[in-house]
Amino acid sequence: MRHLCQPRSGNTLRQLFHFMYQHGSHLAFGAILMAMSSFGQTYFVSLYGQDLRQAFGLTDGGLGGIYAAGTVMSAVTLTWAGMMIDYTTTRRFTLADTLLLIAACLLVSGAQAA
């Protein structure tokens, strides 16, 4: 009996390279988006957390609570947003995502402490 994790043939590496060759542009696009996402929540908060706390008069717990709420809201919308990509092109989805990110950055840059 063949184990489920064993490849069906001996040329699995060749198939992998063939797949990478055929879909290189998609794989590169995904790798670039993955690299660009490192500027997301955790990296951003780690760099600017102290400045955000000072600017808005937040405690560590206050900023952590806002961060947690943002993370939960992101997780809730992830399923919906993930389904949206099935009904549009990758280019249009990425453009919309980028525009929303720009809008969020502009909102944060113009925010005033209460």
Side-chain angles (χ1 to χ4, degrees):
M1 178 176 200
R2 189 169 66 82
H3 192 273
L4 293 176
C5 293
Q6 290 177 339
R8 293 182 181 193
S9 64
N11 62 359
T12 304
L13 194 57
R14 183 178 299 171
Q15 290 172 346
L16 174 65
F17 286 127
H18 181 69
F19 176 83
M20 290 170 66
Y21 177 76
Q22 283 184 322
H23 303 286
S25 62
H26 292 103
L27 292 170
F29 179 75
I32 290 168
L33 283 182
M34 186 178 69
M36 295 301 291
S37 73
S38 68
F39 297 108
Q41 286 182 339
T42 303
Y43 187 71
F44 178 79
V45 170
S46 70
L47 287 179
Y48 299 106
Q50 183 177 357
D51 295 328
L52 289 170
R53 283 191 306 273
Q54 288 176 352
F56 296 106
L58 296 170
T59 63
D60 289 337
L63 181 61
I66 292 171
Y67 177 77
T71 301
V72 169
M73 287 190 298
S74 176
V76 168
T77 61
L78 189 61
T79 303
W80 172 78
M83 288 188 311
M84 295 295 291
I85 202 165
D86 293 335
Y87 301 103
T88 187
T89 63
T90 306
R91 179 176 291 170
R92 187 175 292 161
F93 185 83
T94 305
L95 177 63
D97 192 42
T98 302
L99 291 174
L100 287 171
L101 180 59
I102 290 169
C105 289
L106 290 173
L107 282 171
V108 170
S109 72
Q112 300 288 325

